[in-house]
Amino acid sequence: RHTTGTRRFDRPTVHPSIASMSMSSALAPASASLAVRPRANTPGRPSTIRGSQTSTSSVRRRPSRCSLAPLRAIATDAKEAEVDANDDTPAEVLEVPEWHSRALVRDGRVFSETFPVRFDEVGADKSATMRTVASMIQECACNHAQGIWGRAQSMPADMLKDNLVWVCTRLHLQIDSYPRWGDQVQVNTWFEAQGRLAARRDWSLYYEDCRPSAVKDAEPECEIKPVGRATSVWVAFNLAKRRMARIPQAVVDLFQNQQLCDEPVMGPDYAVVKLPETGPDAHVAAFQVRRRDMDMNGHVNNVVYTEWLLEGVPESMWAEHELKEIEIEFRAEATFGETVETRCDAEVYEEGDARADEKHVKHMVHQLMKQGDENPKTAEVVRARTYWVKK
């Protein structure tokens, strides 16, 4: 059980959002074969990886077309490659990963996509970072939009004609376990309208963790583990007026056949809490907005904000703790050429706050502020809180 501010919720082992997905069926193999010339003294056919998936979830399940077969990293049944007729040197079969990329499941109301953890997405310990996970969920959400509204379309036609786009105002991302370089992460996302003022989008993330078997020559032991979960709030934004707008009623009506209702990933009792400001002794660093930081809506990409927030964290925190959670409020936009300060400080707890007694846990508060703006309300771009656990 984890407590943050006045909100309390339990961390689910398997989230309601994926309760309907087949977590107990065997992983179906997917294979691809590639003929390569062997090196000298090359041993025989390489070993393969097999795994079975289990779940201790007690949540109610529904029939679904979604399985975790995409998480198979190496095939079990590669066919022998063909050998050049003019060369009698035997060819080695190199079994390479193959995975499902994207699918709409749950009657088209949940979008599922599988991502490999790439070389440039891990740190020195070969584990993915919070920025990596933030990038995955953003990409999955954008591809979901294209899947239901058309290629290169991030919003319905009724929003497009009114010059409206979706803007994220709040994001809460929790990590249970970071995947490592080469792992495959299945990301599931869905949304639900909150009247005409906002929509909630949720995500759940899983990966396959494989460990060497204790039995000699046995295949590795694999199990499906949760990476984490995330929830967010989105509003309609008028690009011409640069301000928020109501979601058109036609779009709300359209959502009836696209949204997944009453399955919030954080649970039914989840509540948004106020994020505090940083103090006068905050650690400060500055960044100038580059062209590569911008997105198609003309402001800094949300994943870049996440990166800047974490760059302000002192090295001592990174050395002794692991980042497990981040809550972000997007309050204003930053654009090309502006300079943004990232401020980071240890959170000061109010009297009676139970978190003050958690010795193995640290909370940091963050702000991104535009340099040169003397008005704190207009200068503040982002406010955030991070949750760190002792290593």
Side-chain angles (χ1 to χ4, degrees):
R1 184 175 292 272
H2 165 52
T3 305
T4 303
T6 59
R7 168 178 45 76
R8 181 180 291 268
F9 58 88
D10 291 319
R11 295 182 183 275
T13 300
V14 179
H15 316 136
S17 63
I18 202 168
S20 66
M21 299 184 182
S22 178
M23 291 290 290
S24 58
S25 60
L27 289 171
S31 64
S33 301
L34 178 65
V36 295
R37 298 298 173 200
R39 298 176 182 174
N41 301 322
T42 300
R45 176 181 174 132
S47 62
T48 58
I49 297 177
R50 293 181 185 176
S52 61
Q53 54 188 102
T54 61
S55 172
T56 58
S57 171
S58 61
V59 295
R60 180 168 54 91
R61 306 179 188 278
R62 302 176 189 170
S64 171
R65 296 187 301 274
C66 180
S67 71
L68 289 172
L71 295 176
R72 171 57 50 234
I74 302 294
T76 59
D77 298 312
K79 296 180 179 179
E80 294 297 331
E82 295 182 358
V83 181
D84 190 330
N86 298 322
D87 187 350
D88 58 0
T89 303
E92 176 186 348
V93 175
L94 175 63
E95 297 175 343
V96 297
E98 180 177 299
W99 52 79
H100 139 93
S101 178
R102 303 166 182 165
L104 282 164
V105 298
R106 297 287 296 275
D107 297 323
R109 297 175 186 272
V110 175
F111 182 78
S112 179
E113 183 165 9
T114 303
F115 296 89
V117 179
R118 300 179 300 183
F119 176 80
D120 64 348
E121 294 177 325
V122 300
D125 62 352
K126 297 185 180 181
S127 294
T129 64
M130 182 66 78
R131 187 197 190 283
T132 301
V133 179
S135 180
M136 285 181 179
I137 65 173
Q138 176 180 262
E139 184 68 14
C140 186
C142 292
N143 290 335
H144 184 197
Q146 291 192 93
I148 58 179
W149 296 323
R151 184 178 179 182
Q153 299 301 319
S154 58
M155 74 290 296
D158 286 297
M159 290 182 65
L160 188 62
K161 69 180 183 182
D162 291 335
N163 207 21
L164 301 177
V165 297
W166 290 113
V167 172
C168 182
T169 61
R170 191 174 180 100
L171 173 67
H172 188 176
L173 176 55
Q174 298 174 344
I175 300 294
D176 294 331
S177 178
Y178 286 99
R180 295 173 61 80
W181 178 38
D183 286 338
Q184 297 176 53
V185 179
Q186 181 175 303
V187 184
N188 309 295
T189 186
W190 62 100
F191 64 86
E192 181 179 1
Q194 312 286 295
R196 291 189 59 191
L197 297 179
R200 188 195 75 247
R201 177 176 284 279
D202 289 344
W203 296 265
S204 62
L205 303 91
Y206 294 83
Y207 76 108
E208 185 179 38
D209 183 32
C210 293
R211 299 174 303 279
S213 175
V215 180
K216 185 179 180 180
D217 298 329
E219 295 173 347
E221 300 173 353
C222 300
E223 63 176 323
I224 303 302
K225 288 187 175 181
V227 174
R229 64 205 63 81
T231 189
S232 59
V233 177
W234 296 74
V235 299
F237 184 79
N238 190 303
L239 283 176
K241 298 179 180 179
R242 310 306 292 182
R243 67 185 186 190
M244 292 187 293
R246 285 185 174 272
I247 302 173
Q249 184 60 48
V251 174
V252 176
D253 295 339
L254 180 66
F255 283 176
Q256 300 307 311
N257 295 323
Q258 299 170 334
Q259 64 185 354
L260 183 67
C261 297
D262 304 322
E263 293 197 23
V265 74
M266 296 294 190
D269 298 329
Y270 176 81
V272 170
V273 296
K274 183 179 179 180
L275 301 181
E277 298 179 353
T278 55
D281 298 326
H283 182 268
V284 178
F287 302 90
Q288 186 170 22
V289 180
R290 304 163 298 178
R291 286 186 176 86
R292 63 175 293 180
D293 300 325
M294 308 289 287
D295 64 18
M296 65 180 70
N297 295 327
H299 54 219
V300 173
N301 187 290
N302 289 348
V303 175
V304 176
Y305 287 138
T306 303
E307 182 178 11
W308 289 350
L309 288 167
L310 298 178
E311 283 295 331
V313 177
E315 184 59 31
S316 58
M317 180 62 69
W318 288 105
E320 299 176 5
H321 295 78
E322 182 178 48
L323 176 60
K324 285 293 190 178
E325 189 171 335
I326 185 168
E327 294 178 86
I328 306 176
E329 290 180 357
F330 301 98
R331 298 191 164 209
E333 58 181 344
T335 57
F336 175 70
E338 293 182 318
T339 299
V340 178
E341 285 185 354
T342 177
R343 302 178 182 178
C344 176
D345 199 5
E347 183 172 0
V348 178
Y349 305 120
E350 297 180 357
E351 185 176 354
D353 194 326
R355 294 177 299 160
D357 298 326
E358 297 178 340
K359 303 302 182 183
H360 67 293
V361 176
K362 295 289 185 181
H363 291 87
M364 306 294 287
V365 290
H366 311 256
Q367 286 179 286
L368 294 181
M369 309 287 289
K370 295 181 184 179
Q371 282 188 351
D373 192 334
E374 301 299 328
N375 185 341
K377 291 186 177 180
T378 57
E380 187 174 24
V381 178
V382 171
R383 186 177 296 193
R385 174 195 280 127
T386 51
Y387 168 95
W388 303 75
V389 175
K390 192 80 171 178
K391 290 182 179 178

